[in-house]
Amino acid sequence: MAELAALEDPKARAVNERHGDDHGVNLGKLRALAKRLKTQQDLAERLWRTDDSSARLLALLICRPKAFGRDELDAMLRGARTPKVHDWLVNYVVRKSPHSEELRLAWTADPDPVVAAAGWALTTERVAKQPDGLDLDGLLDVVEAEMKDAPDRLQWAMNHCLAQIGIEHPERRARALDIGERLEVLKDYPTSPGCTSPFAPVWITEMVRRREGA
């Protein structure tokens, strides 16, 4: 904890706080610390229990994803207060867990939009890597009906799923593009030079162009 405190950067904290996060440690330095510590499940669990965001991010880098039980992961997600902790928990731990599919189904149906967003993030992963068994048309139906008015975190996750379906599944690309055009979700999202807009029609078109041009 003292080492993490020494890595605190007020400028980094100011930037992070604009995105809803409450840590000020440079993530590159955090990853370097994790690389030095290597995997330490007991330490990871103790760091998580501090409720400090920097400590929790470090915990997620040094833990063993398969060591957590289903209910433990569910409780961790519900207690993940900030977007970065939430995202790293889903991406670095839950995706590698044997409980990921059970949690995906439970979380997607959860009334808490932040929890549901985690379910959609796991669904997006399956759309890209393991689509067999997914009802892609059903997913598009839900996106079409609910994304426009969804809270921010859930809307973002649904939009990512919409884009991924359009990118990965040519037979559904026209419908995905049409949904994106009609709903106009994130159409005016500020995008840095050199970055791809998260507006689904632009995102889909650009990624398909890159793949076809490769």
Side-chain angles (χ1 to χ4, degrees):
M1 293 303 293
E3 194 164 350
L4 285 171
L7 294 174
E8 176 76 17
D9 179 349
K11 291 182 179 178
R13 178 175 287 275
V15 172
N16 291 333
E17 284 179 346
R18 290 202 291 271
H19 300 287
D21 291 305
D22 61 356
H23 68 275
V25 176
N26 176 283
L27 296 182
K29 293 180 179 178
L30 194 73
R31 291 181 189 279
L33 177 57
K35 188 174 181 180
R36 175 163 60 80
L37 290 170
K38 298 185 170 64
T39 301
Q40 295 191 46
Q41 181 65 18
D42 290 344
L43 176 57
E45 291 179 6
R46 281 184 285 147
L47 287 168
W48 184 268
R49 288 195 294 270
T50 66
D51 198 32
D52 175 84
S53 290
S54 295
R56 285 186 160 188
L57 291 171
L58 180 60
L60 296 171
L61 293 175
I62 66 171
C63 72
R64 283 196 303 274
K66 293 180 181 179
F68 295 107
R70 184 251 186 238
D71 292 345
E72 195 172 9
L73 289 171
D74 183 70
M76 289 169 72
L77 183 85
R78 294 176 191 279
R81 297 176 293 96
T82 65
K84 184 64 69 177
V85 172
H86 179 280
D87 290 344
W88 279 24
L89 175 61
V90 173
N91 291 320
Y92 297 164
V93 180
V94 180
R95 280 181 177 173
K96 300 174 184 177
S97 165
H99 309 291
S100 61
E101 180 62 12
E102 182 185 353
L103 288 170
R104 181 187 77 82
L105 294 170
W107 287 346
T108 304
D110 199 277
D112 182 332
V114 175
V115 175
W120 278 89
L122 293 171
T123 299
T124 300
E125 174 85 352
R126 275 203 58 188
V127 167
K129 297 184 177 180
Q130 195 181 356
D132 291 349
L134 283 179
D135 180 3
L136 297 177
D137 292 317
L139 290 172
L140 289 174
D141 289 344
V142 175
V143 169
E144 188 170 18
E146 299 179 12
M147 182 173 72
K148 181 78 171 179
D149 299 317
D152 288 350
R153 294 296 302 278
L154 179 54
Q155 184 184 72
W156 188 275
M158 290 176 122
N159 182 72
H160 191 177
C161 191
L162 171 66
Q164 204 70 53
I165 291 173
I167 293 164
E168 302 289 345
H169 301 278
E171 72 283 3
R172 292 176 175 83
R173 188 169 296 149
R175 186 182 176 198
L177 288 167
D178 177 64
I179 290 171
E181 291 286 0
R182 283 188 291 104
L183 298 186
E184 298 187 336
V185 168
L186 301 175
K187 184 174 184 178
D188 299 319
Y189 190 84
T191 306
S192 302
C195 295
T196 303
S197 169
F199 179 46
V202 174
W203 191 353
I204 294 167
T205 303
E206 175 60 18
M207 294 307 296
V208 170
R209 183 192 67 78
R210 290 183 193 180
R211 291 186 180 186
E212 292 179 347

Coordinates of all heavy atoms in Angstrom, one line a residue, residues 162-204:
L162 N -23.4 -4.7 -30.4 CA -24.0 -4.4 -31.7 C -22.9 -4.3 -32.8 O -23.0 -4.9 -33.9 CB -24.8 -3.1 -31.7 CG -25.3 -2.5 -33.0 CD1 -26.3 -3.4 -33.7 CD2 -25.8 -1.1 -32.8
A163 N -21.8 -3.5 -32.5 CA -20.7 -3.4 -33.4 C -20.0 -4.7 -33.7 O -19.7 -5.0 -34.8 CB -19.7 -2.3 -32.9
Q164 N -19.8 -5.5 -32.6 CA -19.1 -6.8 -32.8 C -19.9 -7.7 -33.7 O -19.3 -8.4 -34.5 CB -18.9 -7.4 -31.4 CG -17.7 -8.4 -31.4 CD -16.4 -7.7 -31.5 OE1 -16.1 -6.7 -30.8 NE2 -15.6 -8.1 -32.5
I165 N -21.2 -7.7 -33.5 CA -22.1 -8.6 -34.4 C -21.9 -8.1 -35.9 O -21.7 -8.9 -36.8 CB -23.5 -8.5 -34.0 CG1 -23.7 -9.2 -32.6 CG2 -24.4 -9.2 -35.0 CD1 -25.1 -9.1 -32.0
G166 N -21.9 -6.8 -36.1 CA -21.8 -6.3 -37.4 C -20.4 -6.6 -38.0 O -20.3 -6.9 -39.2
I167 N -19.4 -6.6 -37.2 CA -18.0 -6.8 -37.7 C -17.8 -8.3 -38.0 O -17.3 -8.6 -39.0 CB -17.0 -6.3 -36.6 CG1 -17.0 -4.8 -36.5 CG2 -15.6 -6.8 -37.0 CD1 -16.4 -4.3 -35.2
E168 N -18.2 -9.1 -37.1 CA -17.9 -10.6 -37.1 C -18.9 -11.4 -38.0 O -18.5 -12.5 -38.4 CB -17.9 -11.2 -35.7 CG -16.9 -10.5 -34.8 CD -15.4 -10.8 -35.1 OE1 -15.2 -11.7 -35.9 OE2 -14.5 -10.1 -34.6
H169 N -20.1 -10.9 -38.2 CA -21.1 -11.7 -38.8 C -21.7 -11.0 -40.1 O -22.7 -10.3 -39.9 CB -22.2 -12.1 -37.8 CG -21.6 -12.9 -36.6 ND1 -21.4 -14.2 -36.7 CD2 -21.2 -12.4 -35.4 CE1 -20.8 -14.6 -35.5 NE2 -20.7 -13.5 -34.7
P170 N -21.1 -11.2 -41.2 CA -21.5 -10.5 -42.4 C -23.0 -10.6 -42.8 O -23.6 -9.7 -43.3 CB -20.6 -11.1 -43.5 CG -19.5 -11.7 -42.8 CD -20.0 -12.1 -41.5
E171 N -23.6 -11.8 -42.4 CA -25.0 -12.0 -42.8 C -25.9 -11.1 -41.9 O -27.1 -11.0 -42.3 CB -25.3 -13.5 -42.6 CG -25.4 -14.0 -41.2 CD -24.1 -14.2 -40.5 OE1 -23.0 -14.0 -41.1 OE2 -24.1 -14.7 -39.3
R172 N -25.4 -10.6 -40.9 CA -26.2 -9.7 -40.0 C -25.7 -8.2 -40.1 O -26.2 -7.4 -39.3 CB -26.2 -10.2 -38.6 CG -27.0 -11.5 -38.5 CD -27.0 -12.1 -37.1 NE -27.8 -13.3 -36.9 CZ -27.4 -14.5 -37.3 NH1 -26.2 -14.7 -37.8 NH2 -28.2 -15.5 -37.2
R173 N -24.7 -8.0 -40.9 CA -24.1 -6.7 -40.9 C -25.1 -5.6 -41.3 O -25.1 -4.5 -40.7 CB -22.9 -6.7 -41.9 CG -22.0 -5.4 -41.8 CD -20.7 -5.6 -42.5 NE -19.9 -6.6 -41.9 CZ -19.1 -7.4 -42.5 NH1 -18.9 -7.4 -43.8 NH2 -18.4 -8.3 -41.8
A174 N -25.9 -5.8 -42.3 CA -26.8 -4.8 -42.8 C -27.8 -4.4 -41.7 O -28.1 -3.2 -41.5 CB -27.5 -5.3 -44.1
R175 N -28.3 -5.4 -41.0 CA -29.2 -5.1 -39.9 C -28.5 -4.3 -38.8 O -29.1 -3.3 -38.2 CB -29.8 -6.3 -39.3 CG -30.9 -6.0 -38.3 CD -31.6 -7.2 -37.6 NE -32.5 -6.7 -36.6 CZ -33.0 -7.5 -35.7 NH1 -32.6 -8.8 -35.6 NH2 -33.8 -7.0 -34.8
A176 N -27.3 -4.7 -38.4 CA -26.5 -4.0 -37.4 C -26.3 -2.6 -37.8 O -26.4 -1.6 -37.0 CB -25.2 -4.7 -37.1
L177 N -25.9 -2.3 -39.0 CA -25.7 -1.0 -39.5 C -27.0 -0.2 -39.5 O -27.0 1.0 -39.1 CB -25.2 -1.0 -41.0 CG -23.7 -1.5 -41.1 CD1 -23.4 -1.8 -42.6 CD2 -22.7 -0.5 -40.6
D178 N -28.1 -0.8 -39.9 CA -29.4 -0.1 -39.9 C -29.8 0.3 -38.5 O -30.3 1.4 -38.2 CB -30.4 -1.0 -40.5 CG -31.8 -0.4 -40.5 OD1 -32.0 0.7 -41.1 OD2 -32.7 -0.9 -39.8
I179 N -29.6 -0.6 -37.5 CA -30.0 -0.3 -36.1 C -29.1 0.9 -35.6 O -29.6 1.8 -35.0 CB -29.8 -1.5 -35.2 CG1 -30.8 -2.6 -35.5 CG2 -29.8 -1.2 -33.7 CD1 -30.6 -3.9 -34.8
G180 N -27.8 0.8 -35.9 CA -27.0 1.9 -35.4 C -27.3 3.2 -36.1 O -27.4 4.3 -35.4
E181 N -27.7 3.2 -37.3 CA -28.0 4.5 -38.0 C -29.3 5.0 -37.5 O -29.5 6.3 -37.3 CB -28.2 4.2 -39.5 CG -26.9 3.9 -40.3 CD -26.1 5.2 -40.5 OE1 -26.5 6.3 -40.0 OE2 -25.0 5.0 -41.1
R182 N -30.3 4.2 -37.2 CA -31.6 4.7 -36.7 C -31.5 5.2 -35.3 O -32.1 6.2 -34.9 CB -32.7 3.6 -36.9 CG -33.1 3.4 -38.3 CD -34.3 2.5 -38.4 NE -34.0 1.1 -38.1 CZ -34.2 0.4 -37.0 NH1 -34.9 1.0 -36.0 NH2 -33.9 -0.8 -36.9
L183 N -30.8 4.4 -34.4 CA -30.8 4.8 -33.0 C -29.8 6.0 -32.7 O -30.0 6.7 -31.7 CB -30.4 3.6 -32.1 CG -31.3 2.4 -32.2 CD1 -30.9 1.4 -31.2 CD2 -32.8 2.8 -31.9
E184 N -28.8 6.1 -33.5 CA -27.8 7.2 -33.4 C -27.1 7.3 -32.1 O -26.7 8.4 -31.6 CB -28.5 8.6 -33.7 CG -29.0 8.7 -35.1 CD -29.5 10.1 -35.5 OE1 -29.9 10.8 -34.6 OE2 -29.6 10.4 -36.7
V185 N -27.0 6.2 -31.4 CA -26.3 6.1 -30.1 C -24.8 6.4 -30.3 O -24.2 5.7 -31.1 CB -26.5 4.8 -29.4 CG1 -25.6 4.6 -28.2 CG2 -28.0 4.7 -29.0
L186 N -24.2 7.3 -29.5 CA -22.8 7.7 -29.6 C -22.4 8.3 -30.9 O -21.2 8.4 -31.2 CB -21.9 6.5 -29.3 CG -22.2 5.9 -27.9 CD1 -21.3 4.6 -27.7 CD2 -21.9 6.9 -26.8
K187 N -23.4 8.8 -31.7 CA -23.1 9.4 -33.0 C -22.2 10.6 -32.9 O -21.3 10.8 -33.7 CB -24.4 9.7 -33.7 CG -24.1 10.3 -35.1 CD -25.4 10.5 -35.9 CE -25.2 11.0 -37.3 NZ -26.5 11.1 -38.0
D188 N -22.4 11.4 -31.8 CA -21.6 12.6 -31.6 C -20.6 12.5 -30.5 O -20.1 13.5 -30.0 CB -22.6 13.7 -31.3 CG -23.6 14.0 -32.4 OD1 -23.2 14.0 -33.5 OD2 -24.8 14.2 -32.0
Y189 N -20.2 11.2 -30.2 CA -19.2 11.0 -29.2 C -17.8 11.6 -29.6 O -17.4 11.3 -30.7 CB -19.0 9.5 -28.9 CG -18.2 9.2 -27.6 CD1 -18.8 9.3 -26.4 CD2 -16.9 8.9 -27.7 CE1 -18.1 9.0 -25.2 CE2 -16.1 8.7 -26.6 CZ -16.7 8.7 -25.4 OH -16.0 8.4 -24.2
P190 N -17.2 12.4 -28.8 CA -15.9 13.0 -29.2 C -14.8 12.0 -29.4 O -14.6 11.1 -28.5 CB -15.6 14.0 -28.0 CG -16.4 13.5 -26.9 CD -17.6 12.9 -27.4
T191 N -14.2 12.0 -30.5 CA -13.2 11.0 -30.8 C -11.9 11.6 -31.1 O -11.8 12.5 -32.0 CB -13.7 10.1 -32.0 OG1 -15.0 9.6 -31.7 CG2 -12.7 9.0 -32.3
S192 N -10.8 11.1 -30.5 CA -9.5 11.7 -30.7 C -9.0 11.4 -32.1 O -9.4 10.4 -32.7 CB -8.5 11.2 -29.7 OG -8.9 11.4 -28.4
P193 N -8.1 12.3 -32.7 CA -7.6 12.0 -34.0 C -6.9 10.6 -34.0 O -6.1 10.3 -33.1 CB -6.6 13.1 -34.2 CG -7.1 14.2 -33.3 CD -7.7 13.6 -32.2
G194 N -7.1 9.9 -35.1 CA -6.5 8.6 -35.2 C -7.2 7.4 -34.5 O -6.9 6.3 -34.7
C195 N -8.3 7.8 -33.8 CA -9.1 6.8 -33.1 C -10.4 6.6 -33.9 O -10.9 7.5 -34.6 CB -9.4 7.2 -31.7 SG -8.0 7.3 -30.6
T196 N -11.0 5.4 -33.8 CA -12.2 5.1 -34.5 C -13.4 5.5 -33.6 O -13.4 5.2 -32.4 CB -12.3 3.6 -34.8 OG1 -11.2 3.2 -35.6 CG2 -13.6 3.2 -35.5
S197 N -14.4 6.1 -34.2 CA -15.6 6.5 -33.4 C -16.3 5.2 -32.9 O -16.4 4.2 -33.6 CB -16.5 7.2 -34.4 OG -17.8 7.4 -33.8
P198 N -16.9 5.3 -31.7 CA -17.7 4.2 -31.1 C -19.1 4.2 -31.8 O -19.8 3.2 -31.4 CB -17.8 4.5 -29.7 CG -17.7 6.0 -29.6 CD -16.8 6.4 -30.7
F199 N -19.5 5.1 -32.6 CA -20.7 5.1 -33.3 C -20.7 3.8 -34.2 O -19.9 3.7 -35.1 CB -20.9 6.3 -34.2 CG -22.2 6.4 -34.9 CD1 -23.4 6.1 -34.4 CD2 -22.2 6.8 -36.3 CE1 -24.6 6.1 -35.1 CE2 -23.4 6.9 -37.0 CZ -24.6 6.5 -36.4
A200 N -21.7 2.9 -33.9 CA -21.6 1.6 -34.5 C -21.4 1.5 -36.0 O -20.5 0.8 -36.5 CB -22.8 0.7 -34.1
P201 N -22.2 2.3 -36.8 CA -21.9 2.2 -38.3 C -20.5 2.6 -38.7 O -19.9 1.9 -39.6 CB -23.0 3.2 -38.8 CG -24.1 3.2 -37.8 CD -23.3 3.1 -36.5
V202 N -19.9 3.6 -38.0 CA -18.6 4.0 -38.4 C -17.6 2.9 -37.9 O -16.7 2.5 -38.6 CB -18.2 5.3 -37.7 CG1 -16.8 5.7 -37.9 CG2 -19.1 6.4 -38.3
W203 N -17.8 2.4 -36.7 CA -17.0 1.4 -36.1 C -17.0 0.1 -37.0 O -15.9 -0.4 -37.3 CB -17.5 1.1 -34.7 CG -16.6 0.2 -33.8 CD1 -15.5 -0.4 -34.2 CD2 -16.8 0.0 -32.4 NE1 -15.0 -1.1 -33.1 CE2 -15.8 -0.9 -32.0 CE3 -17.8 0.3 -31.5 CZ2 -15.7 -1.3 -30.7 CZ3 -17.7 -0.1 -30.2 CH2 -16.7 -0.9 -29.8
I204 N -18.1 -0.4 -37.3 CA -18.3 -1.6 -38.1 C -17.6 -1.4 -39.5 O -16.8 -2.2 -39.9 CB -19.8 -1.9 -38.4 CG1 -20.4 -2.3 -37.0 CG2 -19.9 -3.1 -39.4 CD1 -21.9 -2.4 -37.1

